[in-house]
Amino acid sequence: MSNPLYLIVGLLVALSYPLGVEPLRFADGAVGLRVAAAAVAVYAVLAWGVHRALVPGRSHALGIARLALRWLALVVYTVLVYLFHFPLWVWSIGLEESTLARPLVTLAPLLALFSVLALVGARFDPRRESFGGAVAFAFRGFVGFSLVPVLVMLGMDAAVERAAWLRRASFLLPAVGWGIAGAGMLAMVALLTFLLRIAFGAHDLEAGPLRDRMERLCRSTGFRCRDLLVMGTGGARLANAFIVKIAGPARYVFFTDAILAGMPADLLESVLAHEIAHSRRGHLRAFLAAMLGFSLLNAAALGAMEEAKVHPLVMALLVAAVAASFWIGIFGWVSRRFESEADLAAAKTSPGGARGMAAALGCVAELNRIPSWAWSWRHFSIAERVDLLLATDANPAGGEAFERRCARWRAAAVAFLVAGVAVAGWVAVEQLPRVQGRSRLYEAYARADRGGELLQEKRYGEAVIELREALRSGVDAAQAWLWIAECERALGHGEAARDAEDEALRKGVTDPRDRKRLAR
């Protein structure tokens, strides 16, 4: 399944440009486009070579190599953005002012790199039955799990940008913007089930003995879900199952066609029991609480750094480091333990018990051609999970201790959310006395924007008046000084124009086009 982390990191890279510290040697949109095309071609050759070398032995090294290739794609994309200024080409085709299209087109090289990896992976995947089907399934997974979250994030930005009252409210009280982001995250979770059903073309599990067994297990465990769905994997033949949604009325359990075709009914019951355990133990709620808590704490930290006027490059590096530590480190660490807790809980409710659950895990590994010792970011190896199941079956006290530790991690996720809400609430209260001052500052920035519009209309004298009044009212932006310099030069005031440009440089010019022009 597609992991949204990589595309979200890429989006943050795209939105952070420019920082104002990028080397200017390649600050030319045409150069960025040519280098991007060359980078995709070289990456394709590298990915093909890696897969061709590792697939014959079906080594677990291929999985590690694909992980490395994903991160390499992000590194290559970051270089394209910050060294070769690919966004300049996007700006040059008229998308500089577009809140939605600009970042999406800026992500094109990263999408191309990941598409190459998906195509090569489908070509060499030992499980696949047809290349076209495997590619189609990979595309649906990308749309459902990666593209939708990015579109939701960009949609929220576009909504704030286009709705004047939202833009003003977010400026006057930044906590409002945090609330909008949190609401967007919850909306994405609420819609995810339906979007995935559409993206994968999922259909109801047909009536029959298997569905009857599944529904009996749901009733016996008190598990409510709206439906059991089957998603086609085309030629990918991916054996998997997962649960989506938190509340029963809109909760679905998805099974791939490959797992239904390749696994006996009794083992499928163990798989369903595993997914039910995720729900009953509140793993999805814990992850959502942790995500919301992290987002709120991250927003508060960003606000504090902006107040302290921390350099944008330092902020970007800190945010990247903290996000990587949280998602790759903490999230992965907890996820591995929650997966094993779901195994233990499933062993108590499925007819096959611990040995049935262990057999189901072995069957999943066989269907997906995964070595039993292979470790992943979100799961312990199959061998480790089976060992824990069998050890707990022989000595229940060990399993109970493991589950108590997992319960503490769920409590920690809730505490994390409470801490995030408390900090966000405290910061919001701290922001309230400054609303009046920020209202005046908002009007000052609006005045600066009017000055920019007058400049575009070549009403230079009026524009200078508006811009200088905006600066006196609190605007502290290099762009305003650049506009003043342009007006003064048009009015024949060369010395005043140079003074304004010097002031802009002191404030920190970020646009590489302006930095090149002002370099002297």
Side-chain angles (χ1 to χ4, degrees), residues 90 155 179 353 469 477 481 495 509:
V90 179
E469 184 58 36
W481 286 104
E495 186 174 350
V509 176

Side-chain angles (χ1 to χ4, degrees), residues 283-301:
H283 295 162
L284 300 179
R285 291 191 294 273
F287 284 137
L288 181 58
M291 287 194 305
L292 287 172
F294 174 78
S295 299
L296 290 171
L297 291 172
N298 192 49

Side-chain angles (χ1 to χ4, degrees), residues 386-406:
V386 168
D387 286 346
L388 178 61
L389 279 165
L390 299 181
T392 299
D393 191 39
N395 179 21
E400 291 169 2
F402 184 91
E403 293 184 67
R404 284 195 297 272
R405 291 194 293 272
C406 290

Side-chain angles (χ1 to χ4, degrees), residues 126-180:
R127 298 170 302 184
R128 71 171 176 85
E129 293 183 353
S130 74
F131 175 73
V135 171
F137 180 72
F139 176 75
R140 291 198 298 269
F142 164 76
V143 171
F145 287 106
S146 293
L147 188 59
V148 166
V150 166
L151 290 177
V152 169
M153 293 171 65
L154 294 176
M156 289 189 298
D157 283 344
V160 172
E161 183 65 27
R162 295 190 179 190
W165 67 274
L166 275 178
R167 190 167 62 251
R168 180 183 176 86
S170 298
F171 186 91
L172 298 186
L173 193 64
V176 171
W178 308 346
I180 294 171

Side-chain angles (χ1 to χ4, degrees), residues 74-149:
L74 277 174
V75 171
V76 170
Y77 177 67
T78 302
V79 171
L80 289 173
V81 169
Y82 291 119
L83 180 60
F84 294 102
H85 299 267
F86 179 79
L88 285 183
W89 175 78
V90 179
W91 297 359
S92 72
I93 61 175
L95 299 177
E96 185 173 359
E97 302 301 323
S98 172
T99 308
L100 188 60
R102 184 189 71 247
L104 284 176
V105 177
T106 303
L107 282 171
L110 184 62
L111 297 177
L113 292 168
F114 284 148
S115 296
V116 164
L117 186 58
L119 290 170
V120 174
R123 165 64 179 79
F124 286 98
D125 190 342
R127 298 170 302 184
R128 71 171 176 85
E129 293 183 353
S130 74
F131 175 73
V135 171
F137 180 72
F139 176 75
R140 291 198 298 269
F142 164 76
V143 171
F145 287 106
S146 293
L147 188 59
V148 166

Side-chain angles (χ1 to χ4, degrees), residues 257-303:
D257 51 3
I259 199 170
L260 293 176
M263 188 175 284
D266 58 332
L267 298 188
L268 283 170
E269 283 186 286
S270 295
V271 171
L272 176 59
H274 175 93
E275 300 307 325
I276 290 173
H278 277 308
S279 176
R280 295 179 64 84
R281 295 303 172 97
H283 295 162
L284 300 179
R285 291 191 294 273
F287 284 137
L288 181 58
M291 287 194 305
L292 287 172
F294 174 78
S295 299
L296 290 171
L297 291 172
N298 192 49
L302 281 173

